[in-house]
Amino acid sequence: MKVSEIKDILEAEVICGENALDRDVYTACGSDMMSDVLAYVKEQAVLLSGLMNPQVVRTAEMMDMQCIVFVRGKKPDESIIELAKERDIVLLSTKYPMFASCGMLYEKGLRGGAIK
Amino acid sequence: MSLFELHYEVPGDDFTRAGEASGDVKAHLKKLGFDPATIRNVVIALYEAEINMVIHAGGGTIDVSVDPECIKMELIDHGPGIADISLAMQEGYSTAPDNVRALGFGAGMGLPNIKKYTDEMIIESEVGVGTVIKLRVDVKE
C-alpha cells in the first residue's frame, strides 16, 4: 500500500514528507508502547501511535519505518517534526482514534508483521 | 584492533535526547555498507539499552567496536544496579516509574528485546555501583 493511500483512507493531514507519499508500506503496527513496537520485525512498515514525543520518531528510525500516523487528531510539535525531516520519515495526522484507524487500514488489505 | 570504534557519553537528564547515540551508530553502519538486518539488530538492541541507561541510571557511556564479522557494544553506567537480573529478564517485569510509561517505555520489554536482537548479551551489575552490559551482534551476510 502506498503512503498516499493511507493518507486518503484515514483522511489524514500530511505534517511532513509531502514528496515521499509514493513510498510502499507492507505492514503496520499500532501502539503507544515503543518497546512493543521494537519487539516486532517489520520491513517497510507504518507506525500508528497516539504517543507524542521524539522517541516515536527514533523508534521508527531504528525499525526502518517509512511513515508514522498520529491518531486522535494529535499534532506533533516542532522538535518531533524536525527530527522526522532529518530522518526522512513521513508524518501524518488523522482525526480517527487508534482502533478505527487500524481497522480502516486492515479492511483495505494492510496487515501486521511477524513477531521477532 | 577493530575496524572502527565509536564512543558516546549519554546524558542522563534529557529523555528527549535518548537514542541519539543509537541513531549515530546506525548512520555509521549504513555508511560502512552493513546489511539492513544486521544494522537493525544492532540499533534496536542499542536503543533499548540506551533508553534503559537514561531511565534507570542517569546516563553513562557507550563504546561500539565494529568488525567485518561482528559488532560489539559495551554500555557502562553508575546507576543503582540490577538487584535480580533473572527477574529483570522476564517479559513484563519493570521497575520504571509511571512517568516513563507515559513516554512509551517501561513495559518490561527492554532486556528481553535486547536479548532477542543480539547473539550475545552479558550483564554485570552490582547494586549501588552500576551496570555493565556487553552485547555482540554477528554480521548475517
Side-chain angles (χ1 to χ4, degrees):
Chain A
M1 183 180 283
K2 299 270 184 209
V3 172
S4 57
E5 291 175 74
I6 293 172
K7 170 187 168 281
D8 292 343
I9 292 164
L10 298 178
E11 299 168 41
E13 180 190 334
V14 182
I15 309 284
C16 70
E18 186 78 53
N19 55 358
L21 299 182
D22 60 343
R23 280 182 191 165
D24 286 307
V25 293
Y26 300 117
T27 56
C29 177
S31 181
D32 289 353
M33 287 308 300
M34 293 302 107
S35 282
D36 282 350
V37 178
L38 291 165
Y40 292 84
V41 190
K42 293 193 172 62
E43 294 282 350
Q44 286 183 260
V46 55
L47 172 63
L48 293 95
S49 187
L51 188 69
M52 203 53 59
N53 68 52
Q55 301 309 334
V56 180
V57 178
R58 292 200 191 280
T59 298
E61 176 194 2
M62 305 307 163
M63 301 294 286
D64 289 327
M65 285 170 155
Q66 309 282 313
C67 173
I68 301 168
V69 181
F70 293 109
V71 297
R72 299 195 295 278
K74 292 187 177 181
K75 301 271 171 65
D77 67 20
E78 266 314 308
S79 65
I80 297 173
I81 297 169
E82 275 312 305
L83 193 62
K85 283 181 182 166
E86 279 172 28
R87 301 302 192 269
D88 191 28
I89 293 167
V90 180
L91 298 185
L92 303 177
S93 173
T94 177
K95 64 186 174 193
Y96 294 106
M98 178 69 94
F99 182 76
S101 300
C102 292
M104 289 157 88
L105 295 178
Y106 194 92
E107 195 182 22
K108 298 286 185 184
L110 198 60
R111 294 291 182 263
I115 298 169
K116 169 89 178 176
Chain B
M1 189 67 192
S2 331
L3 187 70
F4 202 77
E5 289 183 349
L6 298 161
H7 174 81
Y8 302 92
E9 303 279 335
V10 179
D13 54 354
D14 189 356
F15 182 78
T16 61
R17 288 182 58 194
E20 278 185 2
S22 304
D24 192 65
V25 169
K26 183 179 181 183
H28 276 99
L29 294 180
K30 237 174 156 175
K31 217 180 282 175
L32 289 166
F34 284 93
D35 66 284
T38 299
I39 295 176
R40 202 155 49 230
N41 288 345
V42 168
V43 298
I44 292 171
L46 187 60
Y47 179 52
E48 285 277 18
E50 187 180 354
I51 292 279
N52 272 349
M53 185 177 255
V54 175
I55 291 173
H56 296 289
T61 60
I62 298 175
D63 283 281
V64 181
S65 75
V66 180
D67 278 304
E69 305 80 29
C70 71
I71 289 113
K72 289 177 186 161
M73 296 156 266
E74 187 172 71
L75 296 96
I76 302 173
D77 71 57
H78 301 290
I82 304 167
D84 185 337
I85 293 173
S86 63
L87 192 58
M89 284 303 302
Q90 285 179 21
E91 287 192 4
Y93 178 79
S94 175
T95 58
D98 284 346
N99 65 329
V100 168
R101 292 207 183 111
L103 294 165
F105 289 91
M109 292 299 292
L111 291 178
N113 270 356
I114 293 169
K115 191 163 178 62
K116 267 185 221 172
Y117 285 102
T118 53
D119 294 289
E120 185 179 65
M121 173 170 98
I122 299 166
I123 305 176
E124 295 159 0
S125 190
E126 199 178 326
V127 173
V129 178
T131 300
V132 178
I133 296 184
K134 294 175 186 168
L135 307 172
R136 194 192 79 234
V137 171
D138 295 332
V139 175
K140 302 292 178 283
E141 289 175 3

